[in-house]
Amino acid sequence: MTVSSVVDTAALDDLLGADQVLRDDAALARYSHDDAEWADFVPPLAVVLARSTDDVVAAVRWAASAGVRVVPRGAGTGLSGGANAVANCIVLSLELMDAVVEVNVDERYAVVQPGVINDALRATVATHGLWYPPDPASSAISTIGGNVATNAGGICCVKYGVTRDYVLGLTVVLADGSVVELGRKTAKGVAGYDLAGLVVGSEGTLGIVTSVTVKLLPLAGRDERAVIGYFPSLTAAGDAVAAISRAGIIPAALEIVDRTCLRAVDEWMQLGLPSDVDTLLLARVDERGAAGDELADQVAAVFADAGGTDVERATDPEDIDRLFQARRLAYPALERLGPVLTEDICVPRGAVPEMLRRIQATAAANDVTIANIAHAGDGNLHPLIIAPEGDAAAKDRAKAAFDAIVADCLALGGTVTGEHGVGLLKLPGLREELGERVIAMHRSVKDALDPAGTLNPGKAF
């Protein structure tokens, strides 16, 4: 007998409205996993489309009373399986909660619902002369709620920080259906434990976020320049990254894109990218005036000293956007070649060259194609392991390569996830990284807030 025949979800129709509860096979399949199809998933009992905090409360209270699990979901762009459905669960989608509720220009914050797309928030606050810095490569399709769940980073986080650095406050529905307000709206505040910071990055295991108050910066005051260099190898580009760090330079972005990614993007989008280079290293600085010019010159000199060729500077916004578009499009371009198993390791900046060397060795040892993109400025590397569709042996080799890369990352003093979250894919590596005592601390927090294990069980730790 299947779980779905045991649990009757009809009461959800009365609580929320039949148009907000999906049970057709197509919907259950569509919402059963995020972009991490490599991780386990099963069809949920139903999909609930929440439109308000009250809807989330109703769904969570029903689930708790029925002994059903709740898997929260944003846009489904996650890459670690954090939104994958588990047995005896409903998927609670927050995608319809997509309003920017308030933009406070004087205090420089915005209050947004979790379904707001990252780029939509940026565009809205820009009309008020403000800027929301966190910019994951998926900013055009990922939601603020999902960014909060994974503590997402992005291209400019090397200088400006990650999602947690911009979350002032949260409205959170707990596992018993109660609603709490965490954090603040003031510029400073240290009252009590930092529970808002705890929820950020908890991947929906401690509560379901229904409102986010984010800190904003002035939009003016930055003057962007890009520095681009082509390198004969990944490790040579990694040497340049390490040299940038040793020189004390903090760029606004420092990104690696290898030849496999460049070719995949250009074949797809015809951007006119060079076809005869091995690795692109792309930096951005945004200091104003002479200071910005001097810093761009320093970056260009480091690139050249590390073996970069055709080192160029760009100041035209359209040219800069085109260059960074190649970086943002790398993942979807590679998906056209076959299923992609995405890594998200982070190593010390000085270890970037050695980690890139080990990734190449792992690709050769396991006979797999590994493309490389990276937020190299902070050591956050994204090896993308490609397996041809329907090739089971290649998929097994890809998984072996995935595990080897995680092991090498830890051996170099790194961490198993820099921004995508643990989800399901990184659980073994996380246990090795943290150790049993720290994992037990995680369990204690989870048990205190969700003793029945209702919220996103089996994820994040």
Side-chain angles (χ1 to χ4, degrees):
M1 182 177 293
T2 64
V3 172
S4 59
S5 65
V6 174
V7 179
D8 184 1
T9 62
L12 289 169
D13 294 358
D14 297 329
L15 291 170
L16 298 161
D19 62 326
Q20 290 179 248
V21 184
L22 309 178
R23 298 185 188 84
D24 61 281
D25 290 342
L28 298 184
R30 186 167 69 253
Y31 285 90
S32 63
H33 60 82
D34 57 23
D35 279 348
E37 295 183 56
W38 292 73
D40 293 335
F41 61 89
V42 298
L45 306 176
V47 177
V48 172
L49 306 176
R51 291 195 174 102
S52 66
T53 296
D54 287 345
D55 287 350
V56 175
V57 169
V60 169
R61 286 180 175 170
W62 173 85
S65 65
V68 169
R69 309 311 181 199
V70 179
V71 174
R73 174 187 167 105
T77 61
L79 295 169
S80 65
N84 284 18
V86 300
N88 192 36
C89 85
I90 59 170
V91 168
L92 181 54
S93 171
L94 304 166
E95 64 192 303
L96 299 183
M97 297 178 64
D98 59 356
V100 177
V101 177
E102 177 188 1
V103 178
N104 190 310
V105 176
D106 293 337
E107 298 297 331
R108 294 207 294 267
Y109 69 76
V111 180
V112 303
Q113 292 183 319
V116 173
I117 297 295
N118 184 293
D119 276 359
L121 171 61
R122 287 171 151 234
T124 298
V125 301
T127 64
H128 298 273
L130 297 169
W131 178 45
Y132 177 66
D135 66 335
S138 60
S139 61
I141 55 175
S142 63
T143 63
I144 294 299
N147 294 171
V148 168
T150 59
N151 192 22
I155 290 175
C156 74
C157 66
V158 58
K159 180 175 181 178
Y160 290 100
V162 297
T163 300
R164 183 180 283 118
D165 298 311
Y166 293 88
V167 173
L168 294 173
L170 301 169
T171 302
V172 182
V173 177
L174 300 179
D176 62 358
S178 58
V179 181
V180 294
E181 300 290 338
L182 305 178
R184 65 192 193 281
K185 290 184 178 177
T186 53
K188 294 175 65 177
V190 294
Y193 293 143
D194 183 10
L195 297 180
L198 176 65
V199 170
V200 177
S202 65
E203 302 185 45
T205 61
L206 302 181
I208 300 176
V209 173
T210 61
S211 178
V212 187
T213 301
V214 295
K215 177 174 66 175
L216 304 172
L217 299 182
L219 183 61
R222 295 176 299 119
D223 188 4
E224 292 191 341
R225 303 160 183 81
V227 181
I228 182 173
Y230 298 107
F231 290 80
S233 68
L234 265 176
T235 52
D239 289 337
V241 171
I244 290 284
S245 180
R246 285 195 302 271
I249 298 171
I250 303 177
L254 185 58
E255 299 288 308
I256 282 177
V257 187
D258 79 355
R259 62 180 181 273
T260 304
C261 297
L262 288 171
R263 290 170 186 167
V265 170
D266 209 48
E267 288 173 2
W268 180 31
M269 301 299 293
Q270 286 81 50
L271 296 179
L273 302 173
S275 59
D276 57 347
V277 302
D278 186 276
T279 303
L280 163 69
L281 189 55
L282 181 59
R284 183 165 60 199
V285 298
D286 61 2
E287 281 76 6
R288 300 192 71 178
D293 290 334
E294 181 180 350
L295 191 59
D297 288 341
Q298 291 178 33
V299 171
V302 171
F303 281 14
D305 289 344
T309 60
D310 298 321
V311 178
E312 301 173 354
R313 285 180 49 182
T315 56
D316 182 83
E318 291 187 3
D319 287 343
I320 295 173
D321 287 345
R322 181 180 65 85
L323 293 171
F324 276 91
Q325 185 184 20
R327 164 61 182 88
R328 292 185 184 277
L329 292 174
Y331 182 81
L334 289 168
E335 281 190 309
R336 299 170 70 246
L337 305 180
V340 178
L341 181 56
T342 305
E343 284 277 15
D344 171 40
I345 55 170
C346 193
V347 297
R349 295 177 184 90
V352 167
E354 175 61 16
M355 189 66 231
L356 290 171
R357 186 194 67 77
R358 294 192 184 195
I359 290 168
Q360 289 182 302
T362 294
N366 291 277
D367 189 24
V368 293
T369 297
I370 301 182
N372 287 274
I373 52 177
H375 306 307
D378 50 19
N380 189 187
L381 310 181
H382 295 313
L384 307 171
I385 310 169
I386 304 168
E389 189 74 51
D391 189 334
K395 191 169 185 178
D396 288 342
R397 295 196 305 273
K399 289 179 178 177
F402 183 94
D403 293 339
I405 290 170
V406 169
D408 282 336
C409 163
L410 294 177
L412 292 174
T415 180
V416 300
T417 177
E419 59 184 6
H420 292 171
V422 174
L424 292 170
L425 288 177
K426 292 298 183 74
L427 289 173
L430 182 80
R431 294 187 181 107
E432 182 178 349
E433 177 181 339
L434 298 185
E436 286 306 314
R437 186 64 188 93
V438 175
I439 290 293
M441 293 173 66
H442 282 69
R443 290 196 185 100
S444 295
V445 175
K446 171 70 169 175
D447 290 344
L449 295 178
D450 183 14
T454 298
L455 301 180
N456 217 7
K459 315 287 180 62
F461 70 91

